Amino acid sequence: MSENFEAKKAVVEEIKGKIEASKSVVLVNYNKLTVLEVTDLRNRFRNASCEYKVYKNTLVRKAFDELGVTDFDNDLNGTTAFVFCPDETSGCSLLAKAVKENPALDEKVVPKSAYVNGAYVDKAGIKKLASIPSREVLIAKMLGCLQAPVANLAYVLNAIAGQKS
């Protein structure tokens, strides 16, 4: 077999490994991005333990096919970047935040679809995922809800104790 074929097989295996290791993979249409904009996006994703990577669409299609996923065939056309994330929402929310902070990215960075926990997610689903707060925020809200009754009880007991004195 040719050296080029073996190199492509290695890249497909690398992509498969990244897809399997990630809880979500976001497919993004990047068009006419400047080097500074790409660097900023890469840094944002890196800080959130995500990886922004560009692969050939045919190699990613082959990796998805080997994993038994054929939903992305229509999305793997044109300029496509891939964001591999360790959780379900960070890639979508980071993209939305980047576009919100820099309106010039609105037409340059457009999410195509995502692969979240083994399921295909379309553009509308990506917008919904982007609106979900991060895991840390959700945990903080839950702890605040659990702490509120105890804090209210302490406040009432303190008020009663203050009245008797």
Side-chain angles (χ1 to χ4, degrees):
M1 291 196 201
S2 73
E3 199 173 298
N4 189 25
F5 181 76
E6 291 299 323
K8 287 181 180 180
K9 268 179 79 172
V11 172
V12 169
E13 289 301 316
E14 174 188 334
I15 295 168
K16 277 176 42 181
K18 288 183 181 191
I19 292 170
E20 290 172 334
S22 301
K23 288 193 177 180
S24 68
V25 180
V26 182
L27 284 68
V28 181
N29 181 4
Y30 68 97
N31 193 14
K32 300 178 185 173
L33 284 176
T34 65
V35 173
L36 289 175
E37 291 168 337
V38 170
T39 303
D40 179 51
L41 281 175
R42 285 185 196 275
N43 288 335
R44 285 175 187 263
F45 290 124
R46 190 176 302 117
N47 291 338
S49 300
C50 297
E51 184 179 5
Y52 177 93
K53 197 89 166 154
V54 176
Y55 289 109
K56 287 185 153 258
N57 288 330
T58 54
L59 297 179
V60 176
R61 184 178 289 116
K62 179 76 173 157
F64 272 125
D65 287 345
E66 287 184 13
L67 292 171
V69 180
T70 59
D71 299 325
F72 296 96
D73 289 345
N74 293 332
D75 297 327
L76 292 171
N77 297 314
T79 56
T80 308
F82 305 90
V83 182
F84 300 95
C85 306
D87 62 11
E88 292 82 1
T89 61
S90 62
C92 301
S93 59
L94 285 171
L95 278 173
K97 187 176 180 181
V99 169
K100 187 176 182 180
E101 290 176 3
N102 186 357
L105 292 177
D106 191 28
E107 294 179 11
K108 294 181 179 181
V109 178
V110 180
K112 291 183 175 184
S113 60
Y115 183 68
V116 180
N117 286 335
Y120 175 83
V121 178
D122 61 357
K123 281 184 183 181
I126 290 175
K127 288 183 181 180
K128 289 178 184 176
L129 283 173
S131 66
I132 297 173
S134 69
R135 182 175 188 264
E136 291 78 18
V137 172
L138 291 174
I139 289 172
K141 286 183 179 183
M142 183 185 72
L143 290 176
C145 289
L146 293 174
Q147 182 185 7
V150 175
N152 290 339
L153 177 64
Y155 175 74
V156 169
L157 292 176
N158 191 25
I160 293 172
Q163 288 177 351
K164 292 184 180 182
S165 302

